[in-house]
Amino acid sequence: MASPNRIIIDTDPGVDDILALLLAFSAKPEELEVLLISLTFGNVDVQNCLRNAVSLFHHIEKEQEWRRKNGKPEGFETLRASKPIVAVGAEEPLADQLMMADYFHGVDGLGGIHSSHPHLTPAESWKSLFDVAASSGNDDEAEAAREIQASEAPFTPSQLPAHEEMLRLLRENEPDTITIVAIGPMTNLALAAAADPETFLRAKEVVVMGGAIEHTGNMTPVAEFNTYADSIAAARVYALTSPNPKTTMPPVPPAPPGKQSAEPPPPFLKAYPEKLSRRLKVKLFPLDITERHVLTRGTFNSIVGPQLDAGSPLAEWMTAFLGSTFAKMESLTPGVSGDVVGLALHDPLCIWYTLLASSPHWTLAAAAPEDIRVETSGQWTRGMCVVDRRNRKKRLDDDGEGGQVPSDAGNWLGVRSGNRIDRVVGTPGEERFGGVLLGRVFG
């Protein structure tokens, strides 16, 4: 049997994150092993993200029970083969102003479903599983009850911060055996990289949904949401792809009012060590490619409608939050209505790559790897992905030290300067991905 691609999913569960997790969990064990769901703020606050992740597990369990009763294959084989860890991470960006996408995903991240459809929300007894204070108490009976609840859950709750759980897994496994799939702001990844760069670099690669290169932004005219939400984190992670990370590290932001600017920066904003053993491999899925992969209302209704009519709990849950999402898309898109209204499958595309990574249909930009940098301090350009489009020769005298060169501000032309990022420009089939996703989820 083939060895599965072992992954960590760093996510901020809103609508397309949930679709990405459903796709991952519906894989076969020989395709994928999900080791960790690492949660971050992003689409909504991190506690709502946690509730949405737990709701997902709850509805998968209900779906499997319904399928058993109706003589259907249970599905979600990789989830049955091994329980992933769930860990709660960053509540806010490293230094940027906190911004969320609840204007699109709803105040709870799933179109307001927890208020509009309260019967679809699991009881909140699961909260104690992540309560560090409760679990460190001396109430033996309560602790025993929590342990039983945790053993019965379809996931393993962690009371470590997500970035520490990420580092633990990378440390305890061989290098190049774990892929990190980052489909939210990259704060947890940046915290892990700052805490222990060499352990972080043991990752096989980091698959990122983020940025906009030639496409317009979806948060500002030039910035995609995940990169905008923590531009400093993205810039720091991308710097690890450089032969000399100091050449693209973002400047340390000024101290907030009331604090001495002479104070040393916090540990997560300090420079990386001078010598690192290797470069980070990043596979980037920007809006340029993700916006072309769409799930339309018509495709959703044609595939999920019969499942809903048959009584599928998962179809009921998905119809509730995707119905709200399609309505939101219809309100935002001039001249588009009915079955052609579509939701871009940004995050699921990254999971599809981990399932089919060996396919020759994944193609990279002709200039790959590219020197893609993230703007962190511009008035209008926070989170913008900047690429040098000038037709200029590289400087062969580059010493890689990152100092300014009068004829090359920013060291864009030095042969040992800049980032090295692989940008995906082609996939196994944008026109069919929505059907493939739902086909896998519903078997």
Side-chain angles (χ1 to χ4, degrees):
M1 187 172 71
S3 298
N5 199 351
R6 308 173 75 219
I7 66 173
I8 290 169
I9 305 177
D10 191 75
T11 177
D12 56 336
V15 174
D16 58 324
D17 301 75
I18 290 293
L19 294 178
L21 292 169
L22 281 167
L23 179 60
F25 291 142
S26 61
K28 296 184 181 301
E30 62 268 25
E31 291 179 313
L32 211 60
E33 181 183 359
V34 182
L35 302 174
L36 168 66
I37 304 299
S38 163
L39 297 171
T40 177
F41 80 95
N43 290 318
V44 286
D45 64 276
V46 75
Q47 288 301 317
N48 266 307
C49 289
L50 174 59
R51 177 168 63 172
N52 293 341
V54 173
S55 292
L56 169 64
F57 286 108
H58 171 73
H59 286 284
I60 288 176
E61 282 195 302
K62 289 180 67 176
E63 179 73 7
Q64 288 177 312
E65 181 183 359
W66 176 78
R67 291 181 186 181
R68 284 194 300 270
K69 286 181 179 178
N70 287 274
K72 300 174 181 286
E74 287 185 31
F76 302 101
E77 293 180 32
T78 194
L79 185 56
R80 288 190 286 135
S82 61
K83 289 169 50 167
I85 299 164
V86 174
V88 180
E91 297 181 354
E92 59 185 4
L94 297 183
D96 281 325
Q97 178 187 3
L98 177 64
M99 298 291 289
M100 294 185 291
D102 50 0
Y103 64 90
F104 178 81
H105 291 267
V107 293
D108 60 5
L110 290 178
I113 189 175
H114 296 294
S115 297
S116 62
H117 297 72
H119 64 289
L120 298 180
T121 301
E124 296 193 348
S125 57
W126 54 266
K127 284 189 173 182
S128 65
L129 297 176
F130 298 91
D131 189 343
V132 177
S135 297
S136 61
N138 296 318
D139 189 335
D140 293 339
E141 186 175 334
E143 181 61 24
R146 275 190 293 273
E147 288 179 1
I148 292 171
Q149 186 185 5
S151 68
E152 294 176 345
F155 58 87
T156 300
S158 172
Q159 290 164 4
L160 285 177
H163 77 279
E164 292 184 16
E165 196 69 73
M166 187 183 297
L167 288 172
R168 182 188 68 78
L169 287 168
L170 291 169
R171 194 176 293 121
E172 293 178 1
N173 289 273
E174 291 296 317
D176 297 316
T177 59
I178 297 176
T179 295
I180 301 173
V181 184
I183 54 176
M186 284 194 280
T187 314
N188 288 334
L189 279 72
L191 290 171
D196 190 344
E198 286 294 349
T199 295
F200 185 74
L201 290 173
R202 291 166 69 93
K204 180 179 178 180
E205 68 177 341
V206 176
V207 179
V208 177
M209 189 282 120
I213 308 304
E214 297 174 355
H215 200 282
T216 55
N218 62 0
M219 184 66 182
T220 73
V222 295
E224 174 274 333
F225 173 77
N226 287 343
T227 310
Y228 181 91
D230 197 339
S231 63
I232 294 171
R236 288 182 61 91
V237 172
Y238 292 167
L240 288 171
T241 70
S242 174
N244 292 279
K246 70 163 66 172
T247 64
T248 61
M249 281 284 278
V252 175
K259 288 199 173 184
Q260 295 293 327
S261 59
E263 291 181 4
F268 53 78
L269 291 178
K270 288 184 177 178
Y272 295 125
E274 285 291 327
K275 299 293 184 182
L276 292 170
S277 62
R278 58 193 287 185
R279 293 191 292 110
L280 184 68
K281 295 178 181 177
V282 169
K283 194 74 93 273
L284 183 65
F285 288 77
L287 293 180
D288 309 57
I289 191 71
T290 63
E291 284 278 5
R292 288 162 28 196
H293 295 73
V294 175
L295 174 63
T296 66
R297 181 188 272 153
T299 297
F300 179 80
N301 289 340
S302 67
I303 295 175
V304 180
Q307 302 292 329
L308 180 65
D309 293 341
S312 160
L314 183 60
E316 181 185 7
W317 185 57
M318 291 177 69
T319 298
F321 70 77
L322 280 170
S324 172
T325 304
F326 287 130
K328 172 63 73 172
M329 288 300 303
E330 194 166 20
S331 71
L332 294 174
T333 314
V336 177
S337 61
D339 284 351
V340 298
V341 172
L343 169 69
L345 298 171
H346 305 292
D347 298 339
L349 190 59
C350 293
I351 299 298
W352 201 27
Y353 166 75
T354 66
L355 287 167
L356 302 175
S358 62
S359 169
H361 297 292
W362 299 105
T363 56
L364 304 179
E370 295 175 293
D371 183 5
I372 299 172
R373 308 188 193 185
V374 176
E375 174 59 60
T376 62
S377 55
Q379 180 182 6
W380 309 116
T381 55
R382 164 182 162 185
M384 179 181 181
C385 287
V386 182
V387 179
D388 187 357
R389 304 188 190 283
R390 299 172 297 177
N391 184 21
R392 301 276 294 276
K393 285 185 178 180
K394 290 288 186 180
R395 289 195 343 269
L396 299 180
D397 62 342
D398 176 36
D399 61 8
E401 290 302 311
Q404 292 288 345
V405 177
S407 61
D408 180 21
N411 258 6
W412 286 90
L413 302 176
V415 293
R416 299 182 64 241
S417 302
N419 295 330
R420 306 287 191 273
I421 294 176
D422 288 328
R423 175 167 61 98
V424 176
V425 297
T427 74
E430 58 195 71
E431 70 286 342
R432 63 188 181 92
F433 180 42
V436 168
L437 187 157
L438 293 178
R440 277 183 172 259
V441 170
F442 288 99

